[in-house]
Amino acid sequence: MASSASRFDDGTFVGFARRHVFVTVFGVAVPLLVFACFIGYPIVYTIYLSFFEWNGMAPQKKFVGFANYAYLLHDKYFYIALVNNAKWLVVSLVFPVSLGFLIAYVMKARLVFAPSLLRTIVFFPVTMSLIAVGLMFLLILNPVFGAFDTLLRSVGLGFLVHEWFGDYRIALYTLAVISGWAFTGMPMIFYFAGLGDVPKETFDAARIEGAGHWRMIRSVALPQLRPVTAIIVMLTLFESLRAFDLIAVLTKGAPFGMTNVLGYLVYMESFWNSRFGYGAALSVVILVIAGSLAALLLGKVLKGAFDV
Amino acid sequence: MAEVSLKDVEKRYAMVPVLSGLNLDIADGEFTVLVGPSGCGKTTTLNMIAGLESITGGTLRIGARDVTTLPPKDRDIAMVFQSYALFPHMTVRDNIAFGMKIRKTPKAEIETQIRQVAQRLRIDDLLDRLPKALSGGQRQRVALGRALVRRPGVFLMDEPLSNLDAKMRIEARSFLTKMHQEVGTTTVYVTHDQAEAMTMGSKIVVMNGGKIQQAAAPLEVYNRPANQFVAGFIGSPAMNFLRLLYDGNALLDQACRLRIAVPECRRAALAGQQGKTVTLGVRPEHFRILQPGAIPGSDSIAFNVDVVQHLGHEILLDLSAGDHRCIARLPPSDRSKLGDDRLFSIDMDHVHYFNGDSGENLIDYAWQQ
């Protein structure tokens, strides 16, 4: 046994693979194969497709080089969608992330009655399909018989009643807030777990020094939760770039493309306008934007977040 | 500076009492050590004094004020935690300045105080470092610095030396004692280490099962323990206990033909114990080894040597006689070997007699004084 082990023990991957066949096959080869099939191949094929003009049906694809990218640079709908994505991201960072943190803090500090019940209620929407969430809010925010507008009118706030999905100035924010409602439970649960890891003594020390809740949040909790915040910001970034479901259900980009976001634009160009090549080019741009923002966040904004 | 007074203090968690009837007076400037095994309630008591735990019954006074329901910041206290509780993202300077910034102390005043405290604690070259770049001892000094700049009426310390290695702990012990002598602030110190309690405290409060067992000066607790628990907890190695039958003149164990005569002066204290079991308490240093061939006296026991522990400056012998197990502390010149049968005498002037059931010390030391 000793001789067979030492025969392959040459410090190389091949030597390791020969000695640990099971680990190599099921721990490395199979996951790599799955990754290659379901992630690697689609990415490579999308990049490949972005250099062609193709309607998705024709047997031949026409090679157009960088023409799809050149078109994209002058496409006003792309820029509208890009700006909308940025707005969506800002709303997502401000509303669900801040609210999720505050809910986690008040639960941890036992400032609310029945924190477990609150946690369950806030987390429940995370388990719902965004399609179902969209359909639910379609009814709630219906301008004729919707519960929300009816409530506003009944409490004398009728002047606030809007065409929540029809008014081009607020439609996108309505969608982002609905998305935030469904997403709040996620940062809440992350922060709740993170606060459990912050040493209780640091809060006690701050209390003895006279810190109030605001000071404890600012000076004790949040700085020690930087790794959690880093993960949540990344997740929110990717979620906002993937925004699609709610738009598809609620507005389909209307009014006048003012609620269009990159994810929905890809769908529209590929499956409604039959421009798979251009849709692929848009997808590649989304990939580059996501990668760049992630690198920027990890490298600059959240530098050292995981060192605490 | 301020005195601390606990009157009938209670702590209940959902109707389950964990501390009851705590009465303790800590004089101004006193260094009081709360000591006891894990779960005895010493940290809960400290947290109640700090205001980090609510008091469910009784009153707590610090100085002239009733602070039972006051928040921690209004109690005129500062606390050093077991884990030091330094803010990991702040430099040493910011950690020390944290409370002063909250209290809106002028910047120049903050800087002056930081300099003074840092020089006193010998951490002035560490002010711009983060806690993760400090050793355990340095972190402990920073935590102490943060407490010192408050200039509190009472210092509360929750096992601040337990994260240090043995050598560092001894140094820190002296450092804290010296610091207390210089500053003179009333200090309540929690530890489970009886050596720390003995060396640092001007008063020791021994706790067990949520109750104060004895509160007195260290030597008083060592020499005149109130009960068997205190006697066994204070002292290392612990006091030896021999459960024996009292016949009115001597303590007996028929099974191993053991008979120890009780001195005349102690018989009055044991008057009600005739025919009952009495626990004889003997500290390891109160055994004396007799030369081979010595005639057994009324205070001698034959033991078998089970283990010999050479500590350099002394020897500890693990002994057995029937079911009785004892540890004796002997001078390094002793030549006892494993398996030897040796005769030992007991210094009967220093033994203790405990009630076999309740564990109460049967000698009334107050009366003796």
Side-chain angles (χ1 to χ4, degrees), chain A residues 201-202 204-211 215 219-220 223-224 307-308, chain B residues 51-52 73 79 81 83 85-90 99 102-103 146 150:
Chain A
E201 289 84 358
T202 54
D204 288 342
R207 270 176 75 194
I208 287 174
E209 295 286 1
R215 186 78 186 205
S219 302
V220 182
Q224 294 189 75
D307 297 343
V308 177
Chain B
L52 300 174
K73 69 183 173 73
M79 191 159 173
F81 294 84
S83 61
L86 298 178
F87 306 117
H89 52 285
M90 292 184 197
I102 290 175
R103 293 187 289 278
R146 190 171 63 185
R150 280 210 80 176

Side-chain angles (χ1 to χ4, degrees), chain A residues 140 142 144-158 160-161:
Chain A
I140 292 172
N142 185 292
V144 181
F145 55 80
F148 188 63
D149 285 354
T150 308
L151 178 73
L152 285 179
R153 285 190 197 98
S154 68
V155 295
L157 296 172
L160 290 177
V161 169

Side-chain angles (χ1 to χ4, degrees), chain B residues 3 38 41 62 76 89 93 99 113 129 133 137 146 170 173 207 218 261 273 315 327 329 338:
Chain B
E3 62 274 8
S38 295
I62 294 179
D76 193 20
H89 52 285
R93 183 190 304 279
Q113 290 213 36
R129 287 199 203 169
R146 190 171 63 185
I170 292 168
R173 221 191 264 171
M207 296 182 71
Q273 304 300 315
I315 288 177
I327 293 181
R329 175 180 278 141
L338 193 69

Side-chain angles (χ1 to χ4, degrees), chain A residues 87-116:
Chain A
K87 288 177 184 172
W88 190 289
L89 174 63
V90 171
V91 174
S92 299
L93 283 176
V94 174
F95 166 50
V97 174
S98 311
L99 191 64
F101 171 77
L102 284 176
I103 294 170
Y105 181 83
V106 297
M107 286 193 302
K108 208 74 197 176
R110 301 207 162 269
L111 298 175
V112 284
F113 177 72
S116 301

Side-chain angles (χ1 to χ4, degrees), chain B residues 62 67 79 89 120-121 192 209 211-212 236 273 291 347:
Chain B
I62 294 179
V67 299
M79 191 159 173
H89 52 285
R120 173 180 249 170
L121 298 173
H192 63 269
K211 289 193 166 60
I212 293 175
S236 178
Q273 304 300 315
Q291 292 306 312
D347 180 353

Side-chain angles (χ1 to χ4, degrees), chain B residues 72-365:
Chain B
K73 69 183 173 73
D74 297 330
R75 294 191 176 199
D76 193 20
I77 50 131
M79 191 159 173
V80 179
F81 294 84
Q82 183 175 1
S83 61
Y84 315 131
L86 298 178
F87 306 117
H89 52 285
M90 292 184 197
T91 61
V92 168
R93 183 190 304 279
D94 290 337
N95 263 286
I96 296 174
F98 184 77
M100 291 189 284
K101 283 180 184 168
I102 290 175
R103 293 187 289 278
K104 304 209 184 313
T105 309
K107 274 187 180 171
E109 169 78 11
I110 291 176
E111 198 51 40
T112 309
Q113 290 213 36
I114 290 174
R115 285 270 158 225
Q116 283 175 356
V117 165
Q119 275 171 8
R120 173 180 249 170
L121 298 173
R122 301 196 302 277
I123 51 170
D124 37 353
D125 54 336
L126 308 174
L127 288 174
D128 295 317
R129 287 199 203 169
L130 287 172
K132 68 181 175 187
L134 305 177
S135 69
Q138 289 169 334
R139 286 180 199 190
Q140 193 234 358
R141 285 177 191 208
V142 175
L144 200 59
R146 190 171 63 185
L148 274 173
V149 291
R150 280 210 80 176
R151 295 182 182 161
V154 182
F155 265 132
L156 305 175
M157 300 192 186
D158 186 8
E159 306 203 30
L161 309 188
S162 60
N163 287 344
L164 303 179
D165 60 44
K167 184 168 173 267
M168 199 89 121
R169 200 178 299 171
I170 292 168
E171 279 175 25
R173 221 191 264 171
S174 314
F175 179 78
L176 283 177
T177 309
K178 201 169 152 230
M179 189 102 261
H180 176 254
Q181 284 162 359
E182 281 174 26
V183 181
T185 308
T186 312
T187 304
V188 185
Y189 185 102
V190 160
T191 182
H192 63 269
D193 182 344
Q194 53 89 24
E196 248 171 57
M198 288 296 288
T199 51
M200 298 174 77
S202 47
K203 181 195 267 182
I204 293 182
V205 179
V206 185
M207 296 182 71
N208 189 35
K211 289 193 166 60
I212 293 175
Q213 303 292 320
Q214 189 172 7
L219 285 179
E220 174 83 10
V221 172
Y222 188 81
N223 292 323
R224 297 171 174 186
N227 55 42
Q228 194 178 335
F229 173 80
V230 175
F233 192 80
I234 300 292
S236 178
M239 185 183 279
N240 300 291
F241 297 114
L242 301 160
R243 281 178 69 80
L244 302 165
L245 190 72
Y246 181 56
D247 71 353
N249 295 311
L251 294 161
L252 313 164
D253 184 347
Q254 304 283 12
C256 57
R257 288 181 291 168
L258 200 145
R259 186 177 191 283
I260 301 166
V262 175
E264 286 282 349
C265 60
R266 296 294 191 209
R267 286 184 191 168
L270 273 68
Q273 304 300 315
Q274 200 165 341
K276 295 179 185 169
T277 301
V278 169
T279 304
L280 181 72
V282 187
R283 294 230 179 256
E285 58 269 30
H286 296 142
F287 281 108
R288 265 188 228 107
I289 197 159
L290 300 176
Q291 292 306 312
I295 300 160
S298 61
D299 57 358
S300 59
I301 311 177
F303 279 114
N304 182 261
V305 178
D306 290 339
V307 177
V308 180
Q309 301 180 51
H310 293 278
L311 299 180
H313 64 294
E314 65 184 16
I315 288 177
L316 299 178
L317 298 182
D318 288 21
L319 310 167
S320 63
D323 292 337
H324 303 289
R325 298 275 177 277
C326 290
I327 293 181
R329 175 180 278 141
L330 299 174
S333 55
D334 183 70
R335 293 287 171 264
S336 298
K337 292 192 296 294
L338 193 69
D340 281 358
D341 283 317
R342 301 295 301 264
L343 202 59
F344 290 81
S345 73
I346 298 172
D347 180 353
M348 294 303 287
D349 291 340
H350 291 100
V351 297
H352 301 273
Y353 305 88
F354 301 103
N355 185 304
D357 299 321
S358 68
E360 288 304 303
N361 197 329
L362 294 168
I363 309 296
D364 186 353
Y365 293 108

